[in-house]
Amino acid sequence: MTDSEYRALFSESPEKAQRSLFDEYYRYVYSVVYSRLRAVASKEDIEECISDVFADVYAYCSREGARDGDLKGIISTVSNRRAVNMFHSLSVGHGKTVSYDEACITDISDDNRLESDYDKEEMRSIFLKCIGELGEPDSTIIIQKYYFQRSSKETGELLKMSSSAVRVRSGRALKKLKKLLLEHGINFTEV
């Protein structure tokens, strides 16, 4: 979600905009916060930190100013900062002597993996949405060919079509899919 998309939703309904932002980024924020706090925080502390992250993001988005772009960078920064602050307050408050670096030593490489996993999940979601938009039998043909690695003959038997018809529809469906993906900003090239 971009800042301009959020502002457009916010002008319609602040609750709808906040719910949409929350639904889109909750899993990402949870992953970041949990990876930072799991060594020192209770489940309630983690939930509180996540709430604080979204409160900060909502406050940031409601400020005046011309910004445009993806909100993921803002959300990532706020998530990391809130988690580090809570880590320090929990460590000091409980007299623990674990340093943040020691607690997160195993997570240094995990941060990149978390963002990568989130990006892959987002990409997968877009792919499935676009494949669904192809309609039947094109979406089934694409899934059977590229996901299940079935031949045109096997797919044809499944769909009660000739293998040549499956090949023709597959080529057309792939062209449609490329156009749909381009509309979502994904440049797809067949390997």
Side-chain angles (χ1 to χ4, degrees), residues 32-77:
V32 171
V33 170
Y34 178 78
S35 70
R36 298 282 189 227
L37 297 179
R38 68 177 174 216
V40 297
S42 68
K43 182 179 178 183
E44 292 78 18
D45 292 331
I46 290 171
E47 290 172 1
E48 179 184 340
C49 187
I50 291 169
S51 296
D52 291 344
V53 168
F54 281 103
D56 288 351
V57 171
Y58 298 150
Y60 173 82
C61 289
S62 66
R63 280 190 270 162
E64 291 298 320
R67 295 176 305 275
D68 195 21
D70 196 9
L71 291 173
K72 186 178 176 187
I74 303 291
I75 293 170
S76 176
T77 301

Side-chain angles (χ1 to χ4, degrees), residues 27 72 112-127:
R27 289 180 9 191
K72 186 178 176 187
N112 291 332
R113 197 183 90 237
L114 281 173
E115 288 186 34
S116 173
D117 289 349
Y118 180 80
D119 290 340
K120 286 178 186 175
E121 183 65 31
E122 195 173 332
M123 181 84 72
R124 193 175 297 124
S125 172
I126 292 170
F127 262 92

Side-chain angles (χ1 to χ4, degrees), residues 52-105:
D52 291 344
V53 168
F54 281 103
D56 288 351
V57 171
Y58 298 150
Y60 173 82
C61 289
S62 66
R63 280 190 270 162
E64 291 298 320
R67 295 176 305 275
D68 195 21
D70 196 9
L71 291 173
K72 186 178 176 187
I74 303 291
I75 293 170
S76 176
T77 301
V78 172
S79 299
N80 279 299
R81 288 181 181 169
R82 273 289 182 178
V84 168
N85 289 343
M86 182 168 271
F87 178 89
H88 288 299
S89 67
L90 289 172
S91 296
V92 170
H94 293 106
K96 295 181 180 179
T97 58
V98 177
S99 76
Y100 180 77
D101 292 334
E102 290 171 358
C104 296
I105 194 89

Side-chain angles (χ1 to χ4, degrees), residues 5-6 8 30 36 87 119 127 138 166 179:
E5 291 171 338
Y6 178 82
Y30 180 85
R36 298 282 189 227
F87 178 89
D119 290 340
F127 262 92
D138 294 347
V166 169
K179 286 180 184 177

Side-chain angles (χ1 to χ4, degrees), residues 17-34:
Q18 291 175 350
R19 172 50 71 186
S20 179
L21 187 73
F22 181 84
D23 289 344
E24 186 169 340
Y25 289 105
Y26 174 78
R27 289 180 9 191
Y28 176 73
V29 171
Y30 180 85
S31 299
V32 171
V33 170
Y34 178 78

